[in-house]
């Protein structure tokens, strides 16, 4: 028995609406990332204008803006700038990173990034850093257990920071997965078919489909390539709907 054209049209409209609502939920977080990127690029441009390279102390000027974004961002649990190795004169690596504590206070992330004895000194291979660096576009990384910052299952949203056209690091924000799921699972459950959300790597960011758990990989299509456009696609019985404006794809079972 086939599906009537009216029902198929209604399903398609609902899928498009859900994808747009998911995009809207994350767009608010990306606004926080974009504001951090703009502040960082302006600061680095100002500091380097006389011809001197930046140092870690210069990044303290970002803190008022970071603190304000943490206090007013509904989904944001951490925010900051992560410098590309070699950018700063006094340290090999640096995170100007601030987090919301359980008591509502805003606190810095203090890490030992000495490559001689720190397991976290090379963060350049992590998706939240590598994807913006390699693609020049913003990215959603995870979910993953964030041992670096919170020990929470998290998503990290990031985009590249540039100084005079050169990659200088990433601006980023963390979202606890439990908060993201609370925002999007009611949307996914409105769909007529089991659905989940994946990032550019195919990592499941949230799921209302028991066959695809959060954190698992959906293999097959080139999700990153699909995200360069806005038109839905299909792969091996799956329907793929880009969440316009944000790097997530809505995947619906056949």
């Amino acid at each position: 028995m086939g599906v009537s054209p009216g029902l198929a049209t209604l399903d398609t409209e609902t899928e498009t609406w859900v994808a747009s609502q998911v995009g809207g939920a994350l767009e608010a977080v990306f606004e926080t990332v974009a504001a951090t990127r703009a502040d960082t690029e302006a600061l680095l441009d100002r500091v380097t204008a006389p011809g001197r390279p930046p140092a870690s102390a210069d990044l303290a000027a970002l803190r008022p803006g970071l603190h304000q974004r943490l206090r007013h961002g509904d989904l944001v649990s951490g925010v900051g700038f992560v410098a590309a190795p070699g950018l700063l004169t006094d340290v090999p690596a640096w995170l100007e990173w601030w987090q919301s504590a359980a008591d509502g206070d805003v606190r810095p992330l203090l890490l030992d990034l000495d490559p001689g004895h720190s397991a976290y000194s090379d963060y350049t291979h992590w998706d939240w850093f590598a994807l913006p660096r390699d693609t020049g576009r913003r990215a959603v990384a995870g979910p993953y257990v964030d041992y670096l910052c919170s020990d929470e299952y998290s998503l990290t949203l990031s985009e590249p920071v540039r100084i005079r056209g050169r990659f200088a690091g990433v601006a980023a924000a963390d979202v606890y997965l439990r908060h993201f799921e609370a925002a999007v699972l009611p949307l996914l459950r409105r769909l007529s078919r089991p659905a989940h959300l994946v990032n550019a790597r195919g990592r499941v960011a949230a799921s209302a489909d028991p066959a695809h758990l959060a954190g698992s990989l959906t293999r097959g299509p080139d999700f990153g390539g699909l995200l360069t456009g806005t038109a839905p696609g299909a792969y091996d019985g799956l329907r793929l709907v880009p969440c316009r404006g944000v790097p997530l794809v809505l995947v619906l079972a056949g």
Side-chain angles (χ1 to χ4, degrees):
M1 181 181 295
V3 177
S4 72
L7 288 176
T9 299
L10 182 61
D11 282 350
T12 299
E13 291 175 350
T14 303
E15 292 162 7
T16 302
W17 180 82
V18 167
S20 70
Q21 293 298 301
V22 170
L26 279 190
E27 191 58 51
V29 180
F30 269 120
E31 289 175 3
T32 293
V33 175
T36 301
R37 174 191 52 76
D39 281 359
T40 306
E41 289 182 341
L43 172 65
L44 293 175
D45 189 66
R46 185 169 64 251
V47 167
T48 59
R52 75 168 181 88
S56 58
D58 295 315
L59 301 179
L62 299 174
R63 293 172 187 173
L66 298 178
H67 295 179
Q68 181 182 34
R69 286 166 209 137
L70 270 178
R71 293 190 174 104
H72 296 287
D74 289 340
L75 288 177
V76 177
S77 60
V79 65
F81 168 64
V82 184
L87 175 72
L88 306 174
T89 59
D90 57 327
V91 288
W94 188 263
L95 285 81
E96 185 60 45
W97 196 264
W98 291 77
Q99 299 171 282
S100 294
D103 61 3
D105 196 13
V106 174
R107 298 175 184 172
L109 175 67
L110 302 175
L111 287 176
D112 178 6
L113 294 177
D114 185 335
H117 50 79
S118 172
Y120 304 116
S121 61
D122 181 15
Y123 42 70
T124 61
H125 62 286
W126 293 6
D127 277 357
W128 51 261
F129 191 93
L131 280 170
R133 179 196 61 202
D134 297 343
T135 68
R137 300 191 298 269
R138 58 189 188 173
V140 175
Y144 63 100
V145 180
D146 188 1
Y147 294 114
L148 186 66
C149 297
S150 64
D151 291 333
E152 283 259 8
Y153 216 35
S154 302
L155 300 172
T156 301
L157 285 63
S158 58
E159 59 182 60
V161 172
R162 298 181 181 88
I163 178 171
R164 295 177 174 81
R166 179 172 63 91
F167 177 75
V170 300
D174 281 343
V175 175
Y176 292 152
L177 184 65
R178 51 191 168 90
H179 294 160
F180 179 65
E181 288 184 322
V184 302
L185 281 180
L187 297 169
L188 299 183
R189 290 174 179 143
R190 296 181 64 157
L191 296 163
S192 62
R193 292 183 280 176
H196 59 285
L197 294 162
V198 302
N199 67 10
R201 303 279 201 207
R203 183 77 60 186
V204 178
S207 179
D209 183 349
H212 297 275
L213 301 179
S216 65
L217 280 173
T218 298
R219 301 188 183 277
D222 176 12
F223 294 109
L226 186 69
L227 286 169
T228 62
T230 58
Y235 179 88
D236 196 23
L238 300 175
R239 180 167 168 79
L240 312 172
V241 184
C243 297
R244 182 174 299 180
V246 302
L248 287 179
V249 176
L250 175 64
V251 181
L252 298 108

